[in-house]
Amino acid sequence: MQKEAGREKLKEAILTAIDKNAKLSAKDLSVMLGYEEEEVAAAVAEMEADSVICGYPTLIDWDKTDRERVTALIEVKVTPQRGQGFDRIAARIYKFDEVESVYLMSGGFDLTVIIDGKSMREVANFVSGKLAPMEAVLSTATHFVLKKYKEHGITLVGEVEDERMLITP
Amino acid sequence: MRNPLSRTVTEIQPSGIRKFFDIVSEMKDAISLGVGEPDFETPWHIREEGIYSLEKGKTHYTSNAGLKELKEEICHYLKRRFNLDYRPAKEVLVTVGGSEAIDIGLRAMLDPGDEVLIPQPSYVSYLPCVTLAGGTPVVIELKAENDFKLTKQELLDAVTDRTKVLIMPFPNNPTGSIMTREELREIVEVVQEKDIFVISDEIYSELTYGSRHVSIAEFPGMKERTIVINGFSKSYAMTGWRLGYAVGPEPIIEQMIKIHQFAIMCAPTTSQYAAVEALRNGDSDVEMMCEAYDGRRRFLVKALRDMGLDCFEPFGAFYVFPGIQSTGMTSDEFANRLLAEEKLAVVPGTAFGSCGEGFLRISYAYSIENLKIALERMERFVRRHKNTAE
């Protein structure tokens, strides 16, 4: 029982640490958290197997690269289906490669769909050609992202400089 | 023309840190593990409250001892976190950083000839502040073999009939050492038996790892003879706001307020409003920062030990204090050569008292990525020079 609680504590500590920095290796984490490297590696493997950790994507500010990229947030109203609620229609939407995220929402609409496309035309084509014509979709409202200020808790604008003096008492 | 300068002031040695800073600042692309302040910015909700106070026109003096609501929040906080009981109206003074509290606490208590015991290595301002207050500083040299804690015997050996005040600098800058309840109990016995007063600088009280900080003022009979100094710089990453406080017995605080009102008037108003927000809603920020420091602390201790340096495990503040005797260099020599050869700045232990010879203060108020880069340089340097020493 105690061992189980210790394992859960370790898992939580690992998740807190890698939430903002997935580059930390099992070796780094073991030193920082005060556990054996094997224990950390096993806990990470277990969380990967249980899909608690679903991946290690990189946070990229595409605006600083040459690649054209357009992000749109689409509010979608749908008709839920008997026996399957919103899950079936959500699946039909999230399986498209263009779709970055899908959330079921409370409030004035049902699904938030976030799309990444090469151009506004590509996004428009997706909405008018794929999303809006779906039988269960009642309406869509597309909002294009103009500028990303912060993502995953990390500020994307402005230079972050260490303004502290080099030596202080 | 007559000499315009005070002899007392001119005889005070400039801070060893200042000297080293001048060298470091000449080197343009140096990286540093020499900083004594958090790398985190002040949490936004605290900054925002400061801004809001300006928008509302809170741009005037506050009462000398500080905003009533801040003093109340300080008392709630000290009760909640450290089980200390103080009355906001009579036993609290809000100061310009912990530094002012050290200065005026000493000035309120000392007469010429009074001795003040200063355990070293410790923060650079205790000794000159004692001198400026007309007292006589008496250094107690703490030892690496005791993890730089103050022992009962060391205290007994230093006490004389003239001893009036003991400064308790724990959690300690630069060693990271802390004092446990049991260790403090032994000190309390001597303090009470010899009838001396305590100035307990607890500015790092929120940054302890593995156990909660224990204040010496919590012991029965100690509140009457202790000034506790604390502040917002380290716990809430608010160094630039210059805000601290002292709590203690009414007769001492009353005299400290007198000096404060003539010298300072009041602590910065904007900072005081921001501090109210910090105490009301900042516990989770403190916890987050403390967790981050703890990971870096373990990382740094292991890395230094892997280099073959002696390094006791520090459980407080954000410093590690490794011994470098095995390299055959003095602290100054090590720090200067490390800077010249690897462009890495660390602070020689001697900046915090001559008993810091043979040690370095290394700060972990840096991201893991920065620590890794710095430690690579340090490892290279140590490897090179250990070989030549052997």
Side-chain angles (χ1 to χ4, degrees), chain A:
Chain A
M1 196 67 186
Q2 219 171 14
K3 202 176 167 195
E4 189 63 24
R7 187 64 170 265
E8 287 311 306
K9 205 176 141 204
L10 168 61
K11 283 183 179 176
E12 203 190 312
I14 292 172
L15 292 176
T16 306
I18 64 174
D19 182 37
K20 292 280 186 288
N21 186 359
K23 269 176 88 177
L24 292 171
S25 65
K27 191 176 172 201
D28 290 344
L29 286 166
S30 69
V31 177
M32 290 168 67
L33 304 175
Y35 287 82
E36 293 300 319
E37 190 177 339
E38 294 73 27
E39 276 182 280
V40 171
V44 169
E46 205 172 298
M47 288 191 286
E48 287 172 348
D50 295 344
S51 292
V52 173
I53 297 174
C54 306
Y56 300 89
T58 309
L59 181 57
I60 299 168
D61 186 354
W62 289 103
D63 288 349
K64 296 199 179 94
T65 69
D66 294 334
R67 192 190 298 188
E68 282 294 318
R69 205 172 152 107
V70 176
T71 305
L73 183 150
I74 307 163
E75 298 171 3
V76 186
K77 283 186 187 164
V78 299
T79 315
Q81 284 155 314
R82 188 171 183 153
Q84 308 200 41
F86 292 94
D87 294 351
R88 185 152 177 266
I89 179 67
R92 287 197 58 192
I93 296 172
Y94 67 60
K95 285 187 175 173
F96 284 104
D97 288 343
E98 300 90 326
V99 173
E100 178 72 21
S101 314
V102 177
Y103 308 120
L104 179 62
M105 310 297 291
S106 65
F109 58 96
D110 302 308
L111 298 172
T112 292
V113 178
I114 295 172
I115 306 280
D116 272 335
K118 288 196 187 73
S119 62
M120 280 173 82
R121 176 169 296 277
E122 192 179 286
V123 174
N125 286 346
F126 175 78
V127 175
S128 60
K130 299 280 197 302
L131 188 60
M134 282 182 192
E135 211 172 309
V137 171
L138 299 173
S139 71
T140 62
T142 304
H143 310 274
F144 284 99
V145 173
L146 301 181
K147 184 173 182 178
K148 289 184 184 174
Y149 292 100
K150 188 176 183 182
E151 209 159 275
H152 203 86
I154 293 169
T155 309
L156 303 177
V157 291
E159 296 293 316
V160 184
E161 259 183 60
D162 191 345
E163 293 189 344
R164 296 176 294 171
M165 293 188 293
L166 286 170
I167 302 280
T168 54

Side-chain angles (χ1 to χ4, degrees), chain B residues 65-363:
Chain B
L67 277 177
K68 184 167 172 277
E69 55 189 304
L70 176 57
K71 290 189 291 178
E72 285 169 357
E73 286 303 334
I74 288 170
C75 292
H76 292 154
Y77 165 85
L78 291 173
K79 180 67 188 166
R80 184 171 86 236
R81 304 292 275 198
F82 308 114
N83 197 29
L84 299 175
D85 288 291
Y86 288 96
R87 291 173 297 146
K90 302 283 185 186
E91 295 174 330
V92 183
L93 166 60
V94 179
T95 56
V96 180
S99 311
E100 187 211 341
I102 295 165
D103 177 29
I104 63 175
L106 289 164
R107 284 204 266 164
M109 292 168 84
L110 297 183
D111 284 313
D114 288 341
E115 290 180 356
V116 178
L117 303 179
I118 305 173
Q120 282 187 344
S122 59
Y123 185 56
V124 295
S125 81
Y126 304 130
L127 204 141
C129 281
V130 169
T131 307
L132 288 168
T136 306
V138 176
V139 169
I140 301 177
E141 299 198 337
L142 303 179
K143 294 183 185 66
E145 69 214 48
N146 301 324
D147 288 357
F148 294 102
K149 293 165 187 280
L150 176 64
T151 66
K152 183 178 181 177
Q153 196 54 52
E154 286 168 336
L155 180 56
L156 280 170
D157 291 346
V159 171
T160 71
D161 294 344
R162 293 178 301 281
T163 304
K164 184 154 188 192
V165 177
L166 163 68
I167 289 179
M168 283 295 283
F170 300 98
N172 183 274
N173 170 13
T175 65
S177 182
I178 62 167
M179 297 279 289
T180 64
R181 185 177 298 278
E182 292 66 39
E183 289 156 354
L184 283 174
R185 187 168 285 125
E186 299 212 321
I187 302 302
V188 165
E189 284 169 16
V190 181
V191 164
Q192 293 184 339
E193 192 196 314
K194 301 289 181 185
D195 192 16
I196 50 189
F197 297 91
V198 173
I199 293 182
S200 185
D201 183 352
E202 302 182 13
I203 194 79
Y204 290 97
S205 60
E206 286 291 354
L207 303 181
T208 60
Y209 313 101
S211 62
R212 299 270 320 140
H213 168 72
V214 181
S215 174
I216 196 167
E218 198 199 318
F219 288 81
M222 282 308 292
K223 187 188 158 183
E224 295 80 348
R225 53 175 72 246
T226 305
I227 300 175
V228 174
I229 292 172
N230 211 320
F232 299 86
S233 295
K234 317 294 176 175
S235 41
Y236 298 95
M238 292 178 70
T239 43
W241 299 74
R242 306 311 305 126
L243 203 69
Y245 54 89
V247 293
E250 185 182 340
I252 307 180
I253 293 292
E254 199 183 345
Q255 297 308 314
M256 287 172 71
I257 292 174
K258 201 157 76 184
I259 307 170
H260 175 79
Q261 78 182 16
F262 291 132
I264 301 284
M265 180 65 109
C266 69
T269 302
T270 312
S271 306
Q272 292 193 55
Y273 278 102
V276 171
E277 169 65 17
L279 293 175
R280 281 185 185 155
N281 299 309
D283 283 4
S284 60
D285 303 309
V286 174
E287 199 183 323
M288 180 278 290
M289 290 189 263
C290 198
E291 266 177 34
Y293 288 132
D294 195 16
R296 302 165 184 186
R297 178 184 71 91
R298 293 174 203 268
F299 188 82
L300 191 52
V301 170
K302 176 159 191 313
L304 293 169
R305 285 179 179 167
D306 286 351
M307 286 176 211
L309 298 180
D310 294 325
C311 189
F312 85 99
E313 183 168 1
F315 289 103
F318 39 62
Y319 310 105
V320 174
F321 204 62
I324 45 121
Q325 293 93 338
S326 57
T327 62
M329 283 184 254
T330 64
S331 300
D332 270 10
E333 194 184 354
F334 188 107
N336 282 306
R337 290 179 68 176
L338 181 63
L339 182 63
E341 294 174 30
E342 295 288 346
K343 300 198 170 177
L344 172 62
V346 298
V347 183
T350 42
F352 306 94
S354 53
C355 59
E357 182 55 84
F359 296 88
L360 302 171
R361 187 193 75 174
I362 299 185
S363 163

Side-chain angles (χ1 to χ4, degrees), chain B residues 31-52:
Chain B
I31 62 170
S32 174
L33 297 181
V35 164
E37 61 174 319
D39 55 322
F40 299 99
E41 290 177 347
T42 308
W44 180 250
H45 67 104
I46 298 172
R47 285 191 265 169
E48 212 261 343
E49 205 57 42
I51 296 167
Y52 186 51

